[in-house]
Amino acid sequence: MNWDAFDFKLLIVFDAIMRERHVTRAGERLGLSQSAVSHALQRLRRALDDELFVRGPEGMSPTPRALDLAGPVRRALAEIEGALHQDRFDPATSTARFRLVLNNTAAVVLAAPIAEWIGSRAPRLSLHMSPSGTVRVDDLLDRGDVDLAIVAPGRVEGERFGTTTLIRDGFAVVARRGHPGLAAPLTYARLAELSHLVVSSTGDDVGFLDGILARRGLPPRRVAMAAPFLSAAPILARSDLVAVMAERIARTLAMVHPVACAALPADPDLPVTRSALVWARRVERHPDHAWLRRQIADCARSLAAGPHPDTESSGGSAVTENYRDNSHKLHT
């Protein structure tokens, strides 16, 4: 290949098609017409002697050669963009767009504080938040389809990703207000007698509770129902079921639904859940990206430094490393 004659702007078009898998949408991303994108693609095909993308029922499918090029091209473009934008990011005037995926804990605990925090500091910045669900978060970060993710540690792994823990939390019991099972100080024996709702979409494994019960010679939980997270609070509010879930989610639900939460009795095997901020290292030096990461981390720290809403017994930490409250009080 004659590199002296190669138009490197074609790589921007290549990256846009790789992201969108569609010529028209790639043009919309770049502000180019469909014919301009198609012409650029033809030039790139000739230069690289490869079809690169093959039209199919779901859009433009990349060839093996295109897949090999995608990562290096994206990293190179990101490095160039970061170098060109050094020291030019002004949050007060920036119109940058960011995409963030969240797990349920972050959606309940952090989304609103982040929106307020960023909105007050960068009023023209666009932040699109969506659920992490069952999507391949690593693929989204690799492709640049999302800029940041807040997910459980281990959900995204590899040296190409940076990560920092935002939320550390324990577990609590949630039930309707006035539930007779929680009227007295909660014990594991009493917990084994209650009917449980398993929240099926939080990603939190509460099977540890059966291990605690077994060591005390108690039967396992009686799981009467399983339901997705969005329906959990309404079900609990209108039944005698109880659910064990992340403590901070439980307290947030108790603020907006007719449910109450109570601390689990102390036990050395009570686990701690974590949610981490994750990003692709190839963009971590971008001033706007670095600024947003710092703001999200600062927002999470501000929650950790503040008091729990509607609680007297959590030790004053909204995001706590070891939630071991054994006051057995009912929080409403």
Side-chain angles (χ1 to χ4, degrees):
M1 176 185 292
N2 182 6
W3 288 106
D4 293 335
F6 184 77
D7 185 354
F8 284 91
K9 294 193 295 294
L10 297 177
L11 297 180
I12 299 175
V13 175
F14 170 84
D15 182 62
I17 299 174
M18 179 62 72
R19 291 175 186 267
E20 299 292 344
R21 307 295 171 92
H22 196 280
V23 171
T24 301
R25 290 199 298 269
E28 292 171 351
R29 174 186 280 266
L30 298 174
L32 299 174
S33 66
Q34 178 181 350
S35 61
V37 174
S38 296
H39 178 67
L41 177 58
Q42 291 302 324
R43 292 176 59 196
L44 191 58
R45 283 167 167 166
R46 288 194 296 269
L48 298 178
D49 193 25
D50 190 90
E51 193 68 10
L52 296 178
F53 297 94
V54 178
R55 193 177 303 277
E58 298 183 359
M60 303 294 283
S61 299
T63 66
R65 172 67 167 151
L67 293 173
D68 289 341
L69 287 171
V73 167
R74 190 157 300 163
R75 287 191 293 272
L77 293 176
E79 288 290 334
I80 293 171
E81 183 180 355
L84 294 175
H85 286 83
Q86 288 291 339
D87 302 324
R88 291 179 54 190
F89 179 69
D90 180 4
T93 60
S94 174
T95 58
R97 298 181 179 182
F98 291 98
R99 291 146 298 181
L100 174 64
V101 295
L102 309 169
N103 62 10
N104 279 330
T105 298
V108 173
V109 176
L110 281 179
I114 286 173
E116 180 181 14
W117 187 282
I118 300 300
S120 66
R121 291 160 173 79
R124 301 180 63 190
L125 184 144
S126 297
L127 186 61
H128 181 270
M129 293 186 278
S130 59
S132 58
T134 59
V135 300
R136 287 292 304 270
V137 177
D138 52 351
D139 287 346
L140 295 177
L141 290 168
D142 281 336
R143 295 199 305 264
D145 292 339
V146 301
D147 300 288
L148 295 165
I150 303 179
V151 293
R155 175 83 183 269
V156 178
E157 295 182 317
E159 293 184 359
R160 67 190 186 279
F161 300 114
T163 182
T164 185
T165 298
L166 296 180
I167 301 173
R168 299 175 176 86
D169 205 1
F171 289 88
V173 181
V174 185
R176 66 174 173 83
R177 292 177 183 173
H179 192 296
L182 301 183
L186 184 63
T187 64
Y188 283 108
R190 185 66 180 122
L191 199 57
E193 297 173 354
L194 301 175
S195 297
H196 287 250
L197 168 71
V198 171
V199 184
S200 58
S201 59
T202 62
D204 294 326
D205 181 9
V206 297
F208 67 88
L209 185 55
D210 290 326
I212 292 175
L213 297 177
R215 288 197 313 276
R216 296 167 183 261
L218 298 169
R221 293 168 298 157
R222 191 182 82 81
V223 176
M225 186 179 299
F229 173 74
L230 289 177
S231 62
I235 290 173
L236 293 170
R238 302 179 65 174
S239 71
D240 281 334
L241 300 176
V242 301
V244 176
M245 62 180 67
E247 176 256 350
R248 185 61 187 177
I249 289 181
R251 296 184 182 279
T252 303
L253 291 180
M255 295 173 61
V256 295
H257 293 279
V259 297
C261 59
L264 284 172
D267 188 276
D269 290 331
L270 285 179
V272 172
T273 67
R274 290 174 173 81
S275 293
L277 182 66
V278 185
W279 63 92
R281 290 191 184 278
R282 58 182 170 76
V283 297
E284 68 180 6
R285 295 178 62 186
H286 283 215
D288 49 358
H289 197 284
W291 179 86
L292 182 60
R293 295 198 313 271
R294 288 195 301 270
Q295 299 309 309
I296 291 175
D298 288 346
C299 179
R301 280 193 292 269
S302 75
L303 292 179
H308 265 302
D310 294 329
T311 182
E312 302 172 3
S313 58
S314 64
S317 174
V319 186
T320 179
E321 173 72 36
N322 292 299
Y323 175 62
R324 297 294 185 264
D325 182 357
N326 194 27
S327 65
H328 308 307
K329 291 184 179 180
L330 185 65
H331 307 294
T332 59

